[in-house]
Amino acid sequence: QGYRCIKLDMGAFSFERSVSQWYLSLAREIATGLGQPRDFAETLLAQDERQPASRRFSRFLQEVLRLNDAPLIIFLDEVEGLLQMPRAVAADFLATLRSYVDDRDSTPLYRRLCFCLMGACTSAELIPGALRNPLDIAREIILTDFDWPSVQAGLLPLIAKKGPRSEAALARAYYWTQGHPSFTQRLCEQMCAPFDRELTVGTVDRLVRDIFIGPLVREQEDFLEIERRLCTGPSHRVRRRLALYQRLLRGDKVPTCRNNLVHRELHLSDLAQLVPGDPPYLAVRNPIVSSVFNASWVLRLQQRRALGLWLNGPSQLWAGCSRVDASVS
């Protein structure tokens, strides 16, 4: 449609040396994506180094926009990578993005510039405690899971030769994943793999156990990320997330509140899904999630966190008193 598009993986831009170096890394990636010479970004950001790095980065973007009349969209993937940066730097960067919208009247070039932030976090997480959130002008785009007609139309042709019960097997796969994009694709990829027997519902159940519910699968990156997100943040919020998730495991349909941070966090953790209705409600994401992150797992996690908090209290008191371990002769 005539747009130039650049995707930046924000998780790859770790903040190691200085603010200037970090902005230079972003500028290099944008310049490379647009086919510019290697020194294009270095030359522009080296000009007037007395100016803040964010301002020099803005001047670089203006030059990029002058290269072509086509609008430019910069996709910032894994935007939660900003959470690993110094808070002041991340806040300044997001405020800089906001300024490109505010300055569209005085700098018409910015009318051809748009940013799309992609990731599993809320704006409140990116800018905690801010009196004025620079993302309050952003438009939220909620990505939905695959529905059954989409799965049927897109994936059934791939497995139709696996036997007369292929459609029933695909329906069983959808039961397990409920359209979760990553889970659905991983499971169907294995269903498409060559094997001797006919594809049946039982075959799908065995694949689910092998891929998702075996004794070691919780060490998979996807599941480790779910647990990390659930346990991130203040202890009182973690406890509220766990309590809410326990209700969902029991089958409670919890009416969702758009402004309830705990509801949003549980949804973003991948443990819960938003189910349309009147009113919309939260439910466990799918049977794979409820099998891996079951009531026993919740209990073990609660016990582990309780032990950690119990040990942490005396340790902090000891450190606060400037005590050290006694040497043993």
Side-chain angles (χ1 to χ4, degrees):
Q1 296 183 11
Y3 287 82
R4 294 181 294 167
C5 299
I6 298 292
K7 183 172 81 73
L8 305 181
D9 183 351
M10 301 306 292
F13 295 100
S14 57
F15 186 85
E16 296 176 352
R17 286 176 286 180
S18 67
V19 177
S20 294
Q21 284 295 324
W22 187 77
Y23 275 102
L24 179 58
S25 298
L26 296 181
R28 282 173 175 161
E29 193 73 13
I30 293 171
T32 300
L34 294 174
Q36 294 304 308
R38 182 175 178 83
D39 61 349
F40 179 77
E42 286 88 339
T43 301
L44 288 174
L45 266 74
Q47 296 175 6
D48 199 0
E49 292 187 341
R50 294 172 297 179
Q51 293 287 338
S54 58
R55 185 168 299 178
R56 286 182 279 131
F57 179 72
S58 299
R59 189 165 57 239
F60 158 79
L61 286 179
Q62 291 177 26
E63 292 302 320
V64 165
L65 292 168
R66 289 190 179 99
L67 294 173
N68 194 306
D69 290 338
L72 174 64
I73 303 178
I74 300 178
F75 293 88
L76 305 181
D77 198 10
E78 303 291 342
V79 73
E80 58 266 31
L82 293 174
L83 300 175
Q84 309 304 319
M85 294 178 54
R87 183 178 297 182
V89 178
D92 181 65
F93 174 65
L94 294 172
T96 300
L97 302 191
R98 166 67 183 256
S99 72
Y100 301 144
V101 178
D102 293 341
D103 295 345
R104 283 175 176 173
D105 288 336
S106 58
T107 310
L109 279 172
Y110 290 150
R111 297 173 188 170
R112 293 193 275 113
L113 177 64
C114 182
F115 283 85
C116 179
L117 280 61
M118 304 184 293
C121 63
T122 64
S123 59
E125 286 180 279
L126 289 175
I127 314 174
L131 295 176
R132 181 174 181 265
N133 192 325
L135 299 180
D136 60 7
I137 59 167
R139 180 166 63 93
E140 184 179 30
I141 302 173
I142 298 176
L143 302 183
T144 58
D145 290 340
F146 300 148
D147 58 17
W148 169 241
S150 299
V151 171
Q152 192 177 31
L155 297 176
L156 185 58
L158 301 178
I159 63 171
K161 297 180 181 179
K162 293 290 183 176
R165 288 179 281 187
S166 296
E167 185 167 2
L170 185 62
R172 184 63 174 176
Y174 184 76
Y175 157 78
W176 279 109
T177 69
Q178 293 295 298
H180 184 294
S182 173
F183 290 178
T184 302
Q185 291 180 37
R186 286 173 60 189
L187 181 55
C188 288
E189 182 180 18
Q190 293 301 311
M191 291 166 62
C192 291
F195 47 82
D196 298 333
R197 290 169 294 182
E198 179 184 318
L199 184 61
T200 65
V201 168
T203 307
V204 174
D205 289 346
R206 285 192 294 274
L207 287 172
V208 168
R209 286 195 297 269
D210 292 343
I211 300 170
F212 300 106
I213 310 179
L216 299 178
V217 295
R218 199 174 288 132
E219 301 304 314
Q220 293 179 15
E221 184 177 346
D222 285 351
F223 293 152
L224 289 173
E225 178 64 14
I226 288 174
E227 189 165 328
R228 185 197 68 79
R229 287 201 60 82
L230 182 72
C231 298
T232 296
S235 296
H236 69 279
R237 284 236 298 276
V238 175
R239 288 195 298 270
R240 290 178 62 192
R241 290 175 208 148
L242 280 172
L244 177 58
Y245 181 61
Q246 283 181 305
R247 290 183 59 191
L248 301 185
L249 281 177
R250 291 196 298 265
D252 293 355
K253 295 181 178 180
V254 180
T256 183
C257 177
R258 184 177 181 83
N259 297 322
N260 188 310
L261 187 57
V262 174
H263 285 198
R264 290 174 64 85
E265 290 169 341
L266 199 65
H267 177 223
L268 288 171
S269 74
D270 246 8
L271 286 172
Q273 63 168 323
L274 298 174
V275 181
D278 190 18
Y281 62 91
L282 284 175
V284 175
R285 185 68 187 267
N286 54 45
I288 292 175
V289 167
S290 62
S291 298
V292 176
F293 301 99
N294 52 28
S296 298
W297 169 80
V298 173
L299 181 60
R300 287 196 301 271
L301 184 60
Q302 289 173 328
Q303 291 172 339
R304 194 168 74 228
R305 286 190 60 81
L307 179 62
L309 290 171
W310 181 82
L311 291 173
N312 188 52
S315 299
Q316 292 297 326
L317 180 61
W318 183 271
C321 295
S322 302
R323 304 299 299 240
V324 295
D325 291 338
S327 60
V328 178
S329 56

